[in-house]
Amino acid sequence: MLTSYGWTQALDRDFAPLAQEGLTPARVVIQHRARFVLMGEGGEFSAETAGRFLHNASTTGLPVVGDWVAVARQAGEGVSTIHAVMPRTSQFVRKAAGVVDKPQVVAANFDVVLLTTGLDTDFNLRRIERYLTAAWGTGAQPVVVLTKADLVDDVAEKVAEVEAVALGAPVLALSAPTGQGLEALRAYLTPGTTAVMLGMSGVGKSTLVNALAGEARQAVGEVRATDGRGRHTTTHRELVLLPGGALILDTPGMRELGLWDPGEANAQTFEDIEALARQCRFRDCGHVAEPGCAVQAALKSGELSIERLESYRKLGREGAFIERKEDPAAAIAHRKLWANRAKTERRRRRAEEEG
Protein backbone atom coordinates (compact mmCIF):
# COMPACT_ATOMS: atom_id res chain seq x y z
CA MET A 1 0.00 0.00 0.00
CA LEU A 2 2.81 2.42 0.82
CA THR A 3 4.36 1.88 -2.62
CA SER A 4 1.06 2.84 -4.27
CA TYR A 5 1.20 6.14 -2.40
CA GLY A 6 4.75 6.96 -3.48
CA TRP A 7 6.99 5.17 -0.99
CA THR A 8 10.47 4.57 -2.45
CA GLN A 9 13.68 2.76 -1.52
CA ALA A 10 15.29 6.13 -0.84
CA LEU A 11 12.54 6.97 1.67
CA ASP A 12 12.97 3.54 3.22
CA ARG A 13 16.69 4.21 3.80
CA ASP A 14 16.03 7.67 5.23
CA PHE A 15 13.39 6.29 7.57
CA ALA A 16 15.65 3.60 9.06
CA PRO A 17 16.68 5.62 12.18
CA LEU A 18 13.01 6.36 12.94
CA ALA A 19 12.11 2.69 12.49
CA GLN A 20 14.69 1.82 15.13
CA GLU A 21 12.69 4.01 17.55
CA GLY A 22 9.63 1.83 16.92
CA LEU A 23 7.91 4.29 14.59
CA THR A 24 6.23 3.35 11.30
CA PRO A 25 5.90 5.36 8.06
CA ALA A 26 2.64 6.72 6.68
CA ARG A 27 1.51 9.42 4.29
CA VAL A 28 -0.97 12.17 5.16
CA VAL A 29 -3.97 11.80 2.82
CA ILE A 30 -6.57 14.01 4.57
CA GLN A 31 -5.98 16.99 6.82
CA HIS A 32 -8.56 18.30 9.29
CA ARG A 33 -7.94 20.93 11.95
CA ALA A 34 -6.59 18.73 14.73
CA ARG A 35 -6.62 15.25 13.23
CA PHE A 36 -5.21 13.56 10.14
CA VAL A 37 -6.13 10.55 8.06
CA LEU A 38 -2.98 8.62 7.18
CA MET A 39 -2.26 5.83 4.72
CA GLY A 40 -0.02 3.15 6.20
CA GLU A 41 0.99 -0.36 5.25
CA GLY A 42 -2.29 -1.75 6.55
CA GLY A 43 -4.57 0.93 5.09
CA GLU A 44 -6.11 4.14 6.39
CA PHE A 45 -6.06 5.16 10.05
CA SER A 46 -6.46 8.35 12.09
CA ALA A 47 -3.73 10.16 13.97
CA GLU A 48 -2.95 13.40 15.74
CA THR A 49 0.34 15.16 16.43
CA ALA A 50 2.21 14.14 19.57
CA GLY A 51 2.30 16.87 22.21
CA ARG A 52 6.10 17.21 22.30
CA PHE A 53 6.33 17.33 18.49
CA LEU A 54 3.56 19.94 18.31
CA HIS A 55 5.38 22.06 20.88
CA ASN A 56 8.80 21.89 19.19
CA ALA A 57 7.82 22.06 15.51
CA SER A 58 8.03 25.31 13.55
CA THR A 59 4.98 26.78 11.80
CA THR A 60 6.05 25.24 8.50
CA GLY A 61 7.17 21.97 10.08
CA LEU A 62 3.74 20.64 11.04
CA PRO A 63 2.20 17.85 8.93
CA VAL A 64 0.23 18.71 5.78
CA VAL A 65 -1.36 16.57 3.07
CA GLY A 66 1.32 14.81 1.06
CA ASP A 67 3.79 14.60 3.94
CA TRP A 68 5.51 11.37 4.93
CA VAL A 69 5.37 11.06 8.72
CA ALA A 70 6.70 8.82 11.46
CA VAL A 71 3.88 7.39 13.58
CA ALA A 72 3.47 5.52 16.83
CA ARG A 73 0.61 3.15 16.03
CA GLN A 74 -1.99 2.36 18.66
CA ALA A 75 -3.77 -0.96 18.80
CA GLY A 76 -7.55 -1.15 18.71
CA GLU A 77 -9.37 2.17 18.77
CA GLY A 78 -6.51 4.15 20.29
CA VAL A 79 -5.42 7.27 18.45
CA SER A 80 -2.03 6.99 16.75
CA THR A 81 0.43 9.88 17.16
CA ILE A 82 2.71 11.64 14.67
CA HIS A 83 6.23 12.18 16.02
CA ALA A 84 8.16 13.47 12.98
CA VAL A 85 7.77 14.74 9.42
CA MET A 86 10.17 13.43 6.79
CA PRO A 87 12.14 16.04 4.75
CA ARG A 88 10.04 17.36 1.85
CA THR A 89 11.00 17.23 -1.81
CA SER A 90 8.63 20.12 -2.61
CA GLN A 91 6.11 22.28 -0.80
CA PHE A 92 3.60 24.97 -1.63
CA VAL A 93 3.91 27.89 0.81
CA ARG A 94 1.65 30.91 0.84
CA LYS A 95 1.07 33.86 3.13
CA ALA A 96 -1.40 32.76 5.78
CA ALA A 97 -4.86 34.28 5.43
CA GLY A 98 -5.55 37.25 7.69
CA VAL A 99 -3.49 40.16 8.88
CA VAL A 100 -0.59 38.20 10.41
CA ASP A 101 2.39 37.87 8.07
CA LYS A 102 3.48 34.28 8.45
CA PRO A 103 3.97 31.37 6.03
CA GLN A 104 1.51 28.52 5.66
CA VAL A 105 2.38 25.21 3.98
CA VAL A 106 -0.57 23.98 1.94
CA ALA A 107 0.78 20.76 0.38
CA ALA A 108 3.99 18.76 0.20
CA ASN A 109 5.91 16.18 -1.85
CA PHE A 110 4.37 16.65 -5.29
CA ASP A 111 5.86 16.50 -8.77
CA VAL A 112 3.34 18.54 -10.76
CA VAL A 113 1.32 21.68 -9.95
CA LEU A 114 -1.99 21.91 -11.82
CA LEU A 115 -2.92 25.59 -11.90
CA THR A 116 -6.65 25.42 -12.53
CA THR A 117 -8.72 28.33 -13.80
CA GLY A 118 -11.99 28.60 -15.69
CA LEU A 119 -12.24 29.80 -19.28
CA ASP A 120 -15.55 31.50 -18.50
CA THR A 121 -15.96 34.46 -16.14
CA ASP A 122 -13.02 33.32 -13.97
CA PHE A 123 -10.45 33.88 -16.75
CA ASN A 124 -7.77 36.36 -15.62
CA LEU A 125 -4.20 36.54 -16.99
CA ARG A 126 -2.86 38.49 -14.02
CA ARG A 127 -4.14 35.86 -11.60
CA ILE A 128 -2.52 33.15 -13.71
CA GLU A 129 0.81 35.00 -13.45
CA ARG A 130 0.43 35.09 -9.66
CA TYR A 131 -0.31 31.36 -9.46
CA LEU A 132 2.61 30.61 -11.80
CA THR A 133 4.96 32.49 -9.51
CA ALA A 134 3.72 30.42 -6.58
CA ALA A 135 4.09 27.21 -8.60
CA TRP A 136 7.64 27.88 -9.78
CA GLY A 137 8.59 28.54 -6.17
CA THR A 138 7.67 24.98 -5.18
CA GLY A 139 10.34 23.40 -7.38
CA ALA A 140 7.74 21.27 -9.20
CA GLN A 141 6.54 21.50 -12.81
CA PRO A 142 3.54 23.80 -13.30
CA VAL A 143 0.83 22.94 -15.83
CA VAL A 144 -1.88 25.50 -16.54
CA VAL A 145 -5.28 23.76 -16.77
CA LEU A 146 -8.06 25.82 -18.35
CA THR A 147 -11.40 24.26 -17.41
CA LYS A 148 -14.92 24.71 -18.84
CA ALA A 149 -13.74 24.67 -22.46
CA ASP A 150 -17.23 23.57 -23.46
CA LEU A 151 -18.70 26.90 -22.27
CA VAL A 152 -16.72 29.27 -24.51
CA ASP A 153 -16.18 29.64 -28.26
CA ASP A 154 -12.74 31.30 -28.36
CA VAL A 155 -10.76 28.49 -26.69
CA ALA A 156 -7.77 28.65 -29.05
CA GLU A 157 -7.49 32.42 -28.63
CA LYS A 158 -7.48 32.21 -24.85
CA VAL A 159 -4.98 29.36 -24.85
CA ALA A 160 -2.67 31.54 -26.96
CA GLU A 161 -3.07 34.42 -24.47
CA VAL A 162 -2.10 32.15 -21.58
CA GLU A 163 0.83 30.64 -23.46
CA ALA A 164 2.18 34.16 -23.96
CA VAL A 165 2.48 34.64 -20.18
CA ALA A 166 3.02 31.02 -19.03
CA LEU A 167 6.59 30.77 -20.29
CA GLY A 168 7.95 27.25 -19.71
CA ALA A 169 4.62 25.82 -18.53
CA PRO A 170 2.31 23.68 -20.70
CA VAL A 171 -1.21 25.04 -21.20
CA LEU A 172 -4.15 22.62 -21.52
CA ALA A 173 -7.80 23.41 -22.23
CA LEU A 174 -10.35 20.81 -21.19
CA SER A 175 -13.88 20.08 -20.14
CA ALA A 176 -14.35 17.59 -17.32
CA PRO A 177 -18.07 16.91 -18.04
CA THR A 178 -17.47 16.11 -21.73
CA GLY A 179 -14.03 14.52 -21.35
CA GLN A 180 -12.44 16.99 -23.79
CA GLY A 181 -8.71 17.31 -23.15
CA LEU A 182 -8.51 14.77 -20.31
CA GLU A 183 -6.11 12.48 -22.19
CA ALA A 184 -3.66 15.34 -22.62
CA LEU A 185 -3.79 15.95 -18.88
CA ARG A 186 -3.31 12.26 -18.05
CA ALA A 187 0.07 12.43 -19.81
CA TYR A 188 1.29 14.39 -16.78
CA LEU A 189 -0.30 11.96 -14.31
CA THR A 190 1.95 8.93 -14.72
CA PRO A 191 2.03 6.09 -12.13
CA GLY A 192 3.74 7.19 -8.92
CA THR A 193 3.43 10.89 -9.75
CA THR A 194 1.80 13.23 -7.23
CA ALA A 195 0.03 16.32 -8.57
CA VAL A 196 -1.46 19.17 -6.53
CA MET A 197 -4.41 21.21 -7.80
CA LEU A 198 -4.46 24.92 -7.03
CA GLY A 199 -7.05 27.48 -8.05
CA MET A 200 -9.82 29.81 -7.05
CA SER A 201 -13.09 28.58 -5.62
CA GLY A 202 -15.59 27.36 -8.17
CA VAL A 203 -13.27 26.72 -11.13
CA GLY A 204 -14.14 23.02 -11.30
CA LYS A 205 -11.29 21.32 -9.43
CA SER A 206 -13.55 18.78 -7.71
CA THR A 207 -15.38 18.04 -10.96
CA LEU A 208 -12.01 17.39 -12.60
CA VAL A 209 -10.88 15.08 -9.79
CA ASN A 210 -14.10 13.07 -10.17
CA ALA A 211 -13.58 12.81 -13.93
CA LEU A 212 -10.01 11.57 -13.49
CA ALA A 213 -10.99 9.16 -10.71
CA GLY A 214 -13.93 7.78 -12.68
CA GLU A 215 -16.23 8.22 -9.69
CA ALA A 216 -17.75 10.92 -7.50
CA ARG A 217 -14.91 11.21 -4.97
CA GLN A 218 -15.45 14.92 -4.28
CA ALA A 219 -18.68 16.83 -3.66
CA VAL A 220 -19.58 19.23 -6.47
CA GLY A 221 -21.70 22.35 -6.03
CA GLU A 222 -24.20 23.76 -8.48
CA VAL A 223 -23.24 26.60 -10.80
CA ARG A 224 -24.45 30.08 -9.79
CA ALA A 225 -26.59 31.77 -12.39
CA THR A 226 -25.17 35.21 -11.54
CA ASP A 227 -21.55 34.59 -12.53
CA GLY A 228 -21.41 31.04 -13.88
CA ARG A 229 -19.06 29.86 -11.13
CA GLY A 230 -19.53 26.69 -9.13
CA ARG A 231 -20.16 26.90 -5.43
CA HIS A 232 -17.18 26.14 -3.20
CA THR A 233 -17.54 22.56 -1.93
CA THR A 234 -14.09 21.21 -1.01
CA THR A 235 -13.53 21.97 2.68
CA HIS A 236 -10.35 20.01 3.35
CA ARG A 237 -7.21 18.88 1.53
CA GLU A 238 -7.23 15.30 0.30
CA LEU A 239 -4.81 13.04 -1.58
CA VAL A 240 -6.66 10.79 -4.04
CA LEU A 241 -5.20 7.68 -5.69
CA LEU A 242 -6.29 7.63 -9.35
CA PRO A 243 -6.99 4.42 -11.29
CA GLY A 244 -3.87 4.88 -13.43
CA GLY A 245 -1.56 4.94 -10.38
CA ALA A 246 -1.03 8.71 -10.06
CA LEU A 247 -2.01 10.67 -6.97
CA ILE A 248 -3.84 13.98 -7.09
CA LEU A 249 -4.09 16.38 -4.18
CA ASP A 250 -7.26 18.47 -4.19
CA THR A 251 -7.25 21.68 -2.16
CA PRO A 252 -10.04 24.06 -1.14
CA GLY A 253 -10.37 27.01 -3.49
CA MET A 254 -8.56 30.16 -2.43
CA ARG A 255 -10.27 33.56 -2.47
CA GLU A 256 -6.83 35.15 -2.57
CA LEU A 257 -3.27 33.91 -2.95
CA GLY A 258 -0.80 35.77 -0.76
CA LEU A 259 2.67 34.89 -2.04
CA TRP A 260 5.39 34.09 0.45
CA ASP A 261 8.87 35.13 -0.75
CA PRO A 262 8.35 35.01 -4.56
CA GLY A 263 12.07 35.71 -5.13
CA GLU A 264 13.55 33.76 -8.01
CA ALA A 265 10.14 32.30 -8.90
CA ASN A 266 8.97 35.76 -9.94
CA ALA A 267 11.95 36.04 -12.27
CA GLN A 268 11.04 32.69 -13.82
CA THR A 269 7.41 33.67 -14.37
CA PHE A 270 8.51 36.93 -16.05
CA GLU A 271 11.53 35.57 -17.86
CA ASP A 272 10.75 37.80 -20.86
CA ILE A 273 10.95 40.97 -18.74
CA GLU A 274 14.07 39.74 -16.96
CA ALA A 275 15.70 39.18 -20.36
CA LEU A 276 14.81 42.72 -21.40
CA ALA A 277 16.14 44.11 -18.11
CA ARG A 278 19.54 42.55 -18.79
CA GLN A 279 19.72 44.71 -21.93
CA CYS A 280 19.20 47.98 -20.04
CA ARG A 281 22.09 50.46 -19.99
CA PHE A 282 22.15 50.59 -16.17
CA ARG A 283 22.33 47.53 -13.96
CA ASP A 284 20.00 49.05 -11.34
CA CYS A 285 17.53 50.37 -13.92
CA GLY A 286 14.09 50.96 -12.43
CA HIS A 287 12.42 50.67 -15.87
CA VAL A 288 10.65 53.99 -15.35
CA ALA A 289 12.50 56.88 -16.98
CA GLU A 290 16.16 55.88 -17.18
CA PRO A 291 17.93 56.36 -20.53
CA GLY A 292 18.70 53.19 -22.42
CA CYS A 293 15.91 51.20 -20.73
CA ALA A 294 15.09 48.13 -22.84
CA VAL A 295 11.88 47.50 -20.89
CA GLN A 296 10.48 50.94 -21.71
CA ALA A 297 11.53 50.44 -25.33
CA ALA A 298 9.58 47.17 -25.43
CA LEU A 299 6.53 48.98 -24.05
CA LYS A 300 6.71 51.62 -26.77
CA SER A 301 7.11 49.04 -29.54
CA GLY A 302 4.21 46.93 -28.26
CA GLU A 303 6.45 43.93 -27.54
CA LEU A 304 5.49 44.18 -23.85
CA SER A 305 2.11 45.16 -22.38
CA ILE A 306 1.84 47.63 -19.51
CA GLU A 307 -0.47 45.18 -17.70
CA ARG A 308 2.21 42.47 -17.66
CA LEU A 309 4.86 44.94 -16.51
CA GLU A 310 2.63 46.16 -13.66
CA SER A 311 2.00 42.55 -12.63
CA TYR A 312 5.77 41.96 -12.58
CA ARG A 313 6.29 45.05 -10.46
CA LYS A 314 3.51 44.17 -8.03
CA LEU A 315 4.78 40.65 -7.37
CA GLY A 316 8.31 42.00 -7.08
CA ARG A 317 7.17 44.47 -4.43
CA GLU A 318 5.55 41.66 -2.45
CA GLY A 319 8.77 39.66 -2.53
CA ALA A 320 10.86 42.68 -1.53
CA PHE A 321 8.51 43.39 1.38
CA ILE A 322 8.94 39.86 2.75
CA GLU A 323 12.72 40.06 2.29
CA ARG A 324 12.94 43.38 4.14
CA LYS A 325 10.97 41.98 7.07
CA GLU A 326 13.29 38.98 7.30
CA ASP A 327 16.57 40.81 6.58
CA PRO A 328 17.35 44.34 7.95
CA ALA A 329 20.26 44.67 5.50
CA ALA A 330 17.84 44.15 2.62
CA ALA A 331 15.66 46.94 3.99
CA ILE A 332 18.63 49.35 3.99
CA ALA A 333 19.61 48.34 0.46
CA HIS A 334 16.03 48.86 -0.67
CA ARG A 335 15.93 52.41 0.70
CA LYS A 336 19.23 53.25 -1.01
CA LEU A 337 18.01 51.83 -4.32
CA TRP A 338 14.87 53.95 -4.33
CA ALA A 339 16.79 57.04 -3.21
CA ASN A 340 19.06 56.62 -6.24
CA ARG A 341 16.09 56.13 -8.53
CA ALA A 342 14.47 59.29 -7.18
CA LYS A 343 17.67 61.24 -7.92
CA THR A 344 17.70 59.86 -11.46
CA GLU A 345 14.12 60.97 -12.00
CA ARG A 346 14.83 64.48 -10.65
CA ARG A 347 17.85 64.85 -12.96
CA ARG A 348 15.76 63.75 -15.94
CA ARG A 349 13.05 66.31 -15.17
CA ARG A 350 15.60 69.11 -14.74
CA ALA A 351 17.18 68.20 -18.06
CA GLU A 352 13.78 68.33 -19.77
CA GLU A 353 13.01 71.72 -18.22
CA GLU A 354 16.40 73.20 -19.21
CA GLY A 355 16.18 71.75 -22.70
Side-chain angles (χ1 to χ4, degrees):
M1 183 61 72
L2 282 180
T3 303
S4 299
Y5 277 79
W7 188 254
T8 63
Q9 292 183 347
L11 281 169
D12 197 53
R13 288 194 300 270
D14 293 342
F15 195 85
L18 295 168
Q20 292 177 358
E21 298 177 18
L23 302 174
T24 60
R27 195 170 193 187
V28 181
V29 294
I30 298 177
Q31 178 181 354
H32 298 293
R33 285 186 177 274
R35 187 163 292 197
F36 304 85
V37 177
L38 309 183
M39 181 61 67
E41 194 59 64
E44 285 189 0
F45 62 98
S46 296
E48 58 188 25
T49 50
R52 178 178 295 181
F53 172 64
L54 184 63
H55 177 75
N56 294 330
S58 65
T59 303
T60 58
L62 295 173
V64 298
V65 175
D67 267 329
W68 288 102
V69 295
V71 186
R73 296 292 301 266
Q74 297 296 324
E77 297 183 0
V79 178
S80 300
T81 51
I82 298 172
H83 290 260
V85 173
M86 297 285 288
R88 296 163 177 155
T89 58
S90 60
Q91 60 180 8
F92 171 52
V93 184
R94 70 170 183 175
K95 177 179 172 293
V99 297
V100 179
D101 289 326
K102 64 178 182 179
Q104 176 191 28
V105 181
V106 175
N109 299 319
F110 46 83
D111 310 288
V112 179
V113 184
L114 303 180
L115 305 177
T116 312
T117 189
L119 277 169
D120 52 355
T121 55
D122 185 66
F123 187 74
N124 185 309
L125 290 176
R126 307 288 79 84
R127 185 186 301 130
I128 291 172
E129 288 168 343
R130 172 172 286 269
Y131 273 86
L132 276 168
T133 300
W136 286 121
T138 68
Q141 170 65 54
V143 177
V144 182
V145 179
L146 305 175
T147 61
K148 306 182 183 182
D150 56 314
L151 301 182
V152 296
D153 297 325
D154 56 343
V155 174
E157 179 181 334
K158 288 188 174 180
V159 168
E161 290 179 19
V162 176
E163 288 177 336
V165 302
L167 306 177
V171 180
L172 308 177
L174 54 82
S175 167
T178 67
Q180 173 188 347
L182 288 184
E183 284 307 310
L185 177 57
R186 287 192 176 99
Y188 297 93
L189 302 175
T190 54
T193 297
T194 298
V196 59
M197 297 185 67
L198 302 176
M200 298 285 288
S201 300
V203 299
K205 296 191 303 299
S206 296
T207 301
L208 182 55
V209 170
N210 290 341
L212 292 169
E215 60 179 332
R217 288 294 302 262
Q218 307 291 73
V220 178
E222 63 185 28
V223 174
R224 293 193 296 257
T226 53
D227 58 9
R229 295 180 63 179
R231 296 182 186 277
H232 172 62
T233 52
T234 302
T235 58
H236 60 269
R237 304 176 188 110
E238 180 173 357
L239 187 64
V240 177
L241 179 62
L242 300 177
L247 294 138
I248 192 162
L249 201 165
D250 190 14
T251 63
M254 290 176 279
R255 288 186 293 273
E256 60 176 339
L257 174 58
L259 297 180
W260 185 261
D261 192 16
E264 295 181 3
N266 193 42
Q268 194 161 3
T269 300
F270 297 95
E271 186 179 346
D272 53 338
I273 299 179
E274 291 282 317
L276 288 169
R278 289 192 290 271
Q279 301 173 33
C280 292
R281 182 184 302 176
F282 302 109
R283 184 178 299 177
D284 62 346
C285 184
H287 317 308
V288 178
E290 295 86 345
C293 176
V295 173
Q296 286 296 319
L299 279 177
K300 292 177 181 178
S301 69
E303 177 186 350
L304 176 67
S305 71
I306 185 62
E307 292 82 8
R308 182 161 172 79
L309 178 59
E310 287 302 320
S311 182
Y312 169 75
R313 287 170 171 164
K314 179 180 180 182
L315 295 178
R317 287 193 298 269
E318 291 184 31
F321 175 74
I322 295 295
E323 184 181 7
R324 294 196 302 274
K325 290 194 65 174
E326 297 291 319
D327 184 0
I332 296 172
H334 179 80
R335 287 195 295 271
K336 289 182 178 179
L337 173 64
W338 283 100
N340 289 333
R341 289 179 178 175
K343 290 179 181 178
T344 300
E345 177 63 10
R346 287 196 296 269
R347 286 196 297 266
R348 182 191 68 81
R349 290 178 178 176
R350 280 198 301 266
E352 288 181 350
E353 292 171 357
E354 293 172 357

